[in-house]
Amino acid sequence: MKERAEISVGGMTCAVCAGRVEKQLQGLPGVYEASVNLAGERASIEYDSSTLKVADIQRAIEEIGYRAHDLSSQVEVDAHRLEREREIRKQRGMFVFSFAFSLPLLLTMLVHLGITNRLPRILLEPWFQLFLATPVQFVAGWQFYKDGYFALKSGSANMSVLVALGTSAAYFYSVAVVLWGASLGLHEVYFESSAVIITLIILGKLLEAIAKGRTSEAIKKLMGLQVKTARVIRDNIEIDIPIEDVKVGDLVIVRPGERIPVDGVITEGFSAIDESMLTGESVPIDKQVGDEVIGSTINKHGSLTFEATKVGRDTALAQIIRIVEEAQGSKAPIQRMADIISSKFVPGVVGIAILTFGIWYLWGDPGNFTRALINMTAVLVIACPCALGLATPTSIMVGTGKGAENGILIKGGEHLENAHKLNVVVLDKTGTVTKGEPELTDMVSLQNFSENETLRLVASAERGSEHPLGQAIVQGARARNLELGEPKNFTAVPGQGISAEVDGHRLLIGNRRLMRENGIGVQEVEEQLQDLERAGKTAMLVAIDGALGGIAAVADTIKPTSLEAIQAMRHMGLDVYMLTGDNQRTAAAIAQEVGIDHVLAEILPEDKAREVQRLKDQGLIVGMVGDGINDAPALVTADVGFAIGTGTDVAIESADITLIRGDLKGVVAAIQLSRSTMRNVKENLFWALIYNTIGIPVAALGLLSPVVAGAAMAFSSVSVVTNALRLKRWSYKEVSQIGD
């Protein structure tokens, strides 16, 4: 059976580490797919549970020197959180330890630079410098030796290999000078370089760990919303129980100001519910008996009793957290480029460093071993690919988290990336552009029946229909207090209408095609039909006992935000299409009202996917927006599928992006967020690549001190993560703020 596991991976330092873990996992029998996210420190694995167990996956990761925790287990999740906190404390302690021993060595650089000569003489003694540098090299720096060993053992080289090589070269050269310098004619030692480089890199790791923690704040916020206890009725007594003990079917009581503990349906009371944590919309929503409530939303006013329908991992909040976690652990296509570069990068740098040493020793400054060694060390240290490995995943983590805060659930990094490429957006009409709640607007009687009697017959026939248009007619009749009869021999004719018998009369209700195929002419009312359709109404013909008997017109009202959202899409350079089963005139009227130029009308549900594919075949990159149920094939066919949903079932499987708020402004926001995130990714990749592209030649030319190289390397990854955190300031832009 195919299952999915989410494993936290501790101890990764750069993209090469992530690549090693990924390669190890992909080599396991029973693994279908595995991806590793460096910034999120997690691995996502699809595997055959009959062949492989989660414990086997964890063991495989630990075999190559990393730590692993199963994120499906709360105990393991807590252990992972504690481990991350311990890691930050460890790096902080190591930095303080390393800094205390390195500071005196750092002061000696002031003498070398000619800034001062007023230092205690003992600081300039090589033996004392050896005493200070050794604990830094082998206590604080042990993590680099250990990680580098495991990397080389598995046939790859990572950041730790470069750090260990560079600092070891400076340290052991200096040791040789202390022991045999007099006989060899060597005097300069570089203990300060090796010690200060390790200190700066540990500082960089500490700052990076703290900053990376901030990239997952969205998950922490969502988890913080989870209620700890619930008040339920058991044996007619109100008791408070842990949230884990709530069962489906329990009656739950919520007082004003309290958070709703689980998802359910109100059985008693009414109130206004603040659902901003789910939708991003701050205005509370009125709820009454029969309405759904969502766990972790806030009951603002009245007391409520509701029946629990979803608990534990099935609640809306739990699904949101799961989707965001999986998205943050996924890998965007643009990251593959960085992974390929990183996998070739470290071996290439080692080669450049050796070449640098050879050129300086033989030609640059012939016979000057010291200068050749220092320039080689600078190349090794400046080239660490940390920033390159963090460039993409940190931005994806912040972007998907920011989306969740705004009611935009993005199922993976690839969908966040693809959304910014869209040049066409196809909108389903009913429930997307419009409210999906049609109302009866006109009832025309053409026989000897009164208008109300014709409506009564039509509504009675439609009682057997589940179609929204039929239900609108039924509601319209009930609003007039008409007493409806029971339909007999009810038959639905797909794409045409219905037939039924009511009070001895045979009724046909539907479109022109239904009438034509039953031999009923409609020429006498054609003009009337066209007038109704031009007004954006869906007109249904009524035949009673084989003769044309009337027209029922129904209109679906447009959502208040649709016009503004469609204007925003056009301002963003997107072509907007509307897809509907309505006739051409009705569809054109609605399209004109909201500013859509391209209309695909009279499209059957099963043909929607074919229309989306036709647009893709023209070379267009297509986003499809629908309700995620009858539009499922089209959502899957599109390059990016957007499901609009306001209920608790937020994990609509057919869509790539789910918009909880339920209006088209969510589509605009999702595309805006995608564009901002990808702009941020490209900025990160540029700075990471330009940093190495410039830094390596400068170091090879002898223009960069190893200490400066260490500082630059340490802070490069911090700068990338900090740049990604700028996305936390992202907000939706109104039409007036969008440039042409």
Side-chain angles (χ1 to χ4, degrees):
M1 181 186 295
K2 182 182 284 190
E3 291 191 18
R4 186 180 186 88
E6 295 289 325
I7 307 290
S8 75
V9 183
M12 295 188 296
T13 57
C14 66
V16 178
C17 297
R20 282 174 57 209
V21 177
E22 199 168 275
K23 183 178 179 182
Q24 175 84 343
L25 293 174
Q26 289 172 345
L28 292 175
V31 169
Y32 300 112
E33 185 179 347
S35 66
V36 178
N37 184 304
L38 172 63
E41 297 181 331
R42 61 193 294 137
S44 299
I45 307 104
E46 284 191 358
Y47 67 101
D48 183 351
S49 59
S50 64
T51 305
L52 196 64
K53 305 300 178 190
V54 172
D56 300 327
I57 296 172
Q58 290 177 263
R59 193 159 43 249
I61 294 171
E62 289 165 355
E63 282 174 1
I64 56 173
Y66 299 100
R67 300 179 298 279
H69 294 282
D70 178 11
L71 293 176
S72 66
S73 163
Q74 187 58 47
V75 173
E76 291 270 26
V77 169
D78 292 341
H80 170 59
R81 187 183 69 251
L82 292 172
E83 182 181 300
R84 290 192 69 170
E85 292 171 358
R86 276 198 302 269
E87 180 67 18
I88 291 176
R89 287 197 301 271
K90 173 189 168 186
Q91 294 299 347
R92 186 181 290 118
M94 280 297 174
F95 170 69
V96 172
F97 172 86
S98 186
F99 180 76
F101 281 93
S102 299
L103 181 58
L105 294 170
L106 184 62
L107 294 175
T108 65
M109 295 181 67
L110 301 178
V111 176
H112 296 316
L113 296 172
I115 296 174
T116 184
N117 57 5
R118 296 181 179 179
L119 289 178
R121 186 162 185 80
I122 192 172
L123 293 183
L124 302 176
E125 288 291 335
W127 282 101
F128 184 68
Q129 291 186 15
L130 172 61
F131 166 77
L132 292 173
T134 300
V136 177
Q137 189 71 34
F138 297 109
V139 177
W142 178 249
Q143 57 186 300
F144 303 113
Y145 285 108
K146 179 183 176 183
D147 188 40
Y149 164 76
F150 279 109
L152 293 173
K153 183 181 176 183
S154 62
S156 64
N158 62 0
M159 180 201 88
S160 294
V161 171
L162 295 182
V163 174
L165 281 175
T167 59
S168 295
Y171 175 82
F172 286 110
Y173 169 78
S174 300
V175 170
V177 171
V178 171
L179 296 176
W180 306 291
S183 60
L184 297 174
L186 302 173
H187 306 286
E188 291 289 335
V189 292
Y190 293 92
F191 289 119
E192 79 281 357
S193 293
S194 62
V196 172
I197 286 170
I198 287 173
T199 302
L200 288 170
I201 291 173
I202 290 175
L203 175 61
K205 285 170 70 69
L206 172 61
L207 295 175
E208 178 189 316
I210 294 170
K212 279 162 67 176
R214 291 180 60 202
T215 64
S216 58
E217 279 181 5
I219 291 289
K220 293 176 187 173
K221 284 181 183 177
L222 289 171
M223 288 182 169
L225 294 173
Q226 292 176 316
V227 183
K228 306 299 183 202
T229 62
R231 187 177 299 108
V232 303
I233 300 174
R234 296 268 175 92
D235 299 324
N236 296 319
I237 300 173
E238 291 183 20
I239 57 172
D240 290 337
I241 62 174
I243 192 69
E244 298 83 10
D245 294 340
V246 179
K247 299 175 181 176
V248 172
D250 275 342
L251 288 178
V252 184
I253 297 173
V254 185
R255 297 193 177 109
E258 294 181 340
R259 285 194 182 273
I260 293 168
V262 295
D263 297 1
V265 176
I266 297 173
T267 58
E268 185 180 334
F270 61 90
S271 181
I273 307 294
D274 179 358
E275 296 185 344
S276 57
M277 74 91 189
L278 188 71
T279 64
E281 184 62 58
S282 59
V283 179
I285 299 170
D286 291 334
K287 300 276 187 173
Q288 58 187 356
V289 173
D291 288 339
E292 294 180 334
V293 290
I294 302 168
S296 300
T297 56
I298 301 172
N299 179 29
K300 299 293 285 186
H301 302 303
S303 293
L304 294 175
T305 301
F306 69 91
E307 181 182 343
T309 56
K310 291 185 179 179
V311 299
R313 292 175 61 84
D314 294 328
T315 63
L317 181 63
Q319 291 184 56
I320 291 172
I321 291 171
R322 188 161 61 250
I323 289 171
V324 176
E325 284 180 335
E326 289 176 0
Q328 292 190 340
S330 66
K331 186 174 291 188
I334 196 171
Q335 191 176 335
R336 293 179 193 138
M337 177 185 73
D339 289 348
I340 292 170
I341 294 172
S342 295
S343 66
K344 311 294 182 187
F345 193 77
V346 176
V349 167
V350 173
I352 293 171
I354 294 170
L355 191 62
T356 298
F357 177 87
I359 290 174
W360 274 99
Y361 187 72
L362 296 174
W363 294 291
D365 192 353
N368 191 336
F369 182 87
T370 301
R371 189 169 186 185
L373 180 71
I374 291 303
N375 291 340
M376 180 188 77
T377 300
V379 170
L380 288 169
V381 173
I382 193 69
C384 293
C386 315
L388 190 61
L390 291 167
T392 300
T394 47
S395 296
I396 296 295
M397 284 182 69
V398 179
T400 51
K402 195 66 183 177
E405 290 176 15
N406 288 269
I408 305 165
L409 298 186
I410 303 162
K411 290 192 176 178
E414 66 273 23
H415 309 310
L416 183 61
E417 177 177 342
N418 291 338
H420 93 286
K421 303 175 185 176
L422 297 177
N423 43 39
V424 169
V425 175
V426 178
L427 309 175
D428 175 56
K429 179 183 79 71
T430 305
T432 303
V433 176
T434 64
K435 290 181 179 179
E437 299 171 358
E439 299 175 356
L440 179 69
T441 57
D442 300 85
M443 186 69 237
V444 179
S445 181
L446 301 175
Q447 290 190 19
N448 294 327
F449 298 103
S450 67
E451 181 180 307
N452 275 354
E453 180 59 19
T454 303
L455 174 57
R456 191 188 72 81
L457 290 171
V458 173
S460 298
E462 290 285 6
R463 286 182 72 180
S465 172
E466 295 181 355
H467 196 284
L469 299 180
Q471 292 302 305
I473 293 173
V474 173
Q475 292 299 324
R478 285 177 174 159
R480 299 189 190 187
N481 297 317
L482 300 179
E483 188 174 336
L484 306 185
E486 287 294 331
K488 297 179 181 179
N489 300 322
F490 176 89
T491 304
V493 185
Q496 297 182 36
I498 67 163
S499 67
E501 291 182 16
V502 178
D503 296 344
H505 298 287
R506 174 171 167 74
L507 279 86
L508 292 172
I509 306 165
N511 56 22
R512 294 174 178 83
R513 183 178 173 186
L514 180 67
M515 299 298 142
R516 188 167 55 250
E517 291 190 0
N518 285 273
I520 299 169
V522 297
Q523 290 301 320
E524 61 184 280
V525 295
E526 185 61 41
E527 187 175 342
Q528 217 170 346
L529 282 173
Q530 292 183 19
D531 288 341
L532 290 168
E533 290 168 351
R534 276 191 289 267
K537 300 174 182 178
T538 299
M540 289 171 282
L541 293 158
V542 179
I544 303 174
D545 298 327
L548 198 61
I551 303 172
V554 171
D556 188 2
T557 54
I558 292 169
K559 291 182 180 179
T561 56
S562 290
L563 175 60
E564 179 188 345
I566 290 164
Q567 286 178 338
M569 291 179 201
R570 295 178 65 176
H571 272 77
M572 293 164 70
L574 299 165
D575 285 332
V576 184
Y577 286 70
M578 188 176 77
L579 201 62
T580 178
D582 282 350
N583 63 71
Q584 188 67 44
R585 287 192 189 87
T586 302
I590 291 174
Q592 184 177 11
E593 191 172 343
V594 294
I596 295 176
D597 296 327
H598 309 286
V599 181
L600 303 172
E602 300 178 28
I603 305 297
L604 296 174
E606 58 268 28
D607 293 332
K608 289 181 178 180
R610 187 161 58 242
E611 291 297 328
V612 170
Q613 186 61 53
R614 185 176 60 80
L615 291 171
K616 288 177 65 177
D617 291 343
Q618 297 173 26
L620 301 170
I621 302 174
V622 182
M624 172 70 196
V625 188
D627 62 14
I629 301 171
N630 62 339
D631 299 313
L635 290 169
V636 172
T637 303
D639 294 291
V640 181
F642 299 85
I644 286 190
T646 53
T648 58
D649 187 11
V650 296
I652 300 174
E653 292 299 326
S654 55
D656 305 313
I657 298 175
T658 298
L659 309 169
I660 304 173
R661 189 177 296 183
D663 65 55
L664 288 177
K665 289 174 76 171
V667 178
V668 178
I671 296 173
Q672 287 180 1
L673 178 61
S674 171
R675 291 182 177 183
S676 296
T677 302
M678 296 317 299
R679 190 183 309 119
N680 191 272
V681 167
K682 289 170 184 175
E683 289 168 358
N684 283 347
L685 287 172
F686 171 79
W687 288 113
L689 289 168
I690 202 73
Y691 155 82
N692 283 308
T693 302
I694 295 174
I696 292 172
V698 169
L701 290 171
L703 302 175
L704 198 62
S705 157
V707 171
V708 175
M713 190 282 289
F715 286 99
S716 64
S717 55
V718 177
S719 64
V720 164
V721 177
T722 303
N723 185 54
L725 288 171
R726 289 193 308 114
L727 279 171
K728 292 173 73 68
R729 299 200 299 267
W730 176 88
S731 61
Y732 173 76
K733 287 190 175 76
E734 302 290 344
V735 177
S736 58
Q737 299 173 292
I738 300 173
D740 292 327

